[in-house]
Amino acid sequence: MITDEDLVREGAALDDRFGVERAAAFGRQLPAVVADLAHRWRLAPEGPLSTGATSVVVPVRTASGEPAVIKISPDAEFLARQGAMLRHLAPTGRVPAVLEADAAAGALLLERVLPHRTLDDSRATPPTAVEWAGLLRDLHGTTTEGVTDLLRQRCEDMFRRIGARQATEQVSAHIPREVWGRAVEDCLALLETDQEQVVIHGDLHLGNVLRSSDRGLVVIDPKLCVGDRCFDMVDFVVVSGTADQMAQRVRELAPLVDTDPGRLLRWSRVNAVVTAISRTAWSGPDAWTQTLLEFARDQ
């Protein structure tokens, strides 16, 4: 059973995104908010809780006994937009259904896709190139109507966020400014030559994909924008293995989604640098970081 102490702790754990004071205040309010939502939506909270970068997820059962989750964030506007994005993708069957929403509380009630385990879990079966390609075809086939964000905007935000991490002494000692600069230049060149107007998930890594027992791959936490389809492929490419194995995944995936393998390779190398910088900022350099940089250098 979830306790008030659990909720307070998980809410405060969002301090990396929202700051210590805002996250702590959110955590203190969370028990009352969850109790109110459970009463109004006739829900029975279960466990365990999970915390992402921007929200706390509370497993629940509906009045009819169906599994669901309450997703609650200090950023109510962001969560309302995410609810709209999930509804946009709903015709694909590749996202959890939005069952209820409370914009004022910053909360969504979502279908719980069983077994509710993301593909970055060590117990999960890794996706194949064929599975990933099928997922991409469904997501990218949705209409652009109503999607106003552009991939260029997403990348400009990435430049600021990742650039700040690279500038820290912990990262710059291992990943020089020149490496990050080349990645930015290549990303800008790819954006300049992007002729596609396709809706992309915008944050499609294994931690945002579930394997449903009856629906195949299902995505969560979309950040929909319009741009190059390759952006949704790069985390599949650089998920693991050697530099040669990552290049092989490019060759496997590209023909399945009818995209230029050279372009996918360039996007994947940009992402390899981004991932290497983030890993170094979080936990310091390691063998996997060096593999990512080797892949990025392999022109």
Side-chain angles (χ1 to χ4, degrees):
M1 175 63 67
I2 296 172
T3 67
D4 287 354
E5 291 76 13
D6 293 331
L7 290 166
V8 170
R9 182 182 61 253
E10 294 301 318
L14 299 177
D15 59 319
D16 185 58
R17 179 61 63 92
F18 298 108
V20 172
E21 290 187 9
R22 186 178 178 188
F26 172 70
R28 289 191 296 270
Q29 297 164 1
L30 204 51
V33 173
V34 170
D36 177 62
L37 293 171
H39 174 72
R40 288 192 287 113
W41 290 344
R42 300 175 62 203
L43 306 171
E46 299 182 327
L49 292 166
S50 61
T51 305
T54 58
S55 61
V56 172
V57 177
V58 183
V60 297
R61 290 275 174 177
T62 67
S64 61
E66 293 299 313
V69 297
I70 305 174
K71 186 172 185 179
I72 316 174
S73 174
D75 190 342
E77 181 180 354
F78 165 78
L79 204 60
R81 292 185 65 220
Q82 191 168 93
M85 293 176 186
L86 289 169
R87 293 186 183 96
H88 183 94
L89 296 175
T92 69
R94 297 285 195 170
V95 293
V98 179
L99 306 177
E100 298 280 0
D102 186 326
L108 296 173
L109 179 64
L110 304 175
E111 169 194 11
R112 195 191 327 169
V113 177
L114 298 178
H116 207 240
R117 183 181 301 148
T118 54
L119 294 186
D120 61 348
D121 189 302
S122 60
R123 298 167 293 176
T125 303
T128 66
V130 171
E131 287 180 312
W132 205 257
L135 174 66
L136 294 172
R137 283 193 295 270
D138 287 344
L139 297 178
H140 297 166
T142 58
T143 178
T144 59
E145 185 176 353
V147 181
T148 57
D149 289 351
L150 301 177
L151 178 58
R152 175 176 287 275
Q153 297 167 326
R154 186 66 42 73
C155 290
E156 288 171 351
D157 176 67
M158 177 184 72
F159 296 155
R160 291 189 292 271
R161 179 166 40 86
I162 304 301
R165 291 177 184 168
Q166 191 283 324
T168 64
E169 184 176 349
Q170 178 177 348
V171 178
S172 61
H174 302 281
I175 304 176
R177 180 185 303 174
E178 292 75 16
V179 173
W180 172 233
R182 286 194 298 271
V184 171
E185 289 176 4
D186 206 20
C187 185
L188 289 171
L190 287 162
L191 290 169
E192 288 296 329
T193 55
D194 178 16
Q195 301 299 314
E196 294 194 291
Q197 294 293 304
V198 175
V199 172
I200 60 177
H201 178 282
D203 194 20
L204 194 58
H205 53 80
L206 297 193
N208 278 342
V209 184
L210 305 162
R211 184 184 297 280
S212 167
S213 55
D214 58 356
R215 284 156 53 191
L217 302 185
V218 174
V219 302
I220 58 175
D221 294 352
K223 295 181 179 178
L224 296 190
C225 57
V226 175
D228 194 326
R229 292 176 298 145
C230 290
F231 195 79
D232 274 353
M233 305 177 196
V234 294
D235 281 290
F236 176 83
V237 171
V238 302
V239 67
S240 63
T242 65
D244 288 343
Q245 289 170 328
M246 288 186 269
Q248 177 60 28
R249 277 196 287 273
V250 169
R251 293 189 289 269
E252 290 176 0
L253 183 60
L256 295 174
V257 291
D258 192 27
T259 198
D260 174 19
R263 189 173 182 87
L264 176 54
L265 186 62
R266 290 175 65 194
W267 269 115
S268 299
R269 286 173 172 157
V270 169
N271 187 59
V273 175
V274 170
T275 304
I277 290 172
S278 294
R279 283 182 63 88
T280 304
W282 293 330
S283 58
D286 55 19
W288 175 236
T289 304
Q290 293 308 308
T291 299
L292 289 169
L293 295 174
E294 176 188 346
F295 173 67
R297 288 194 301 266
D298 190 11
Q299 302 297 323

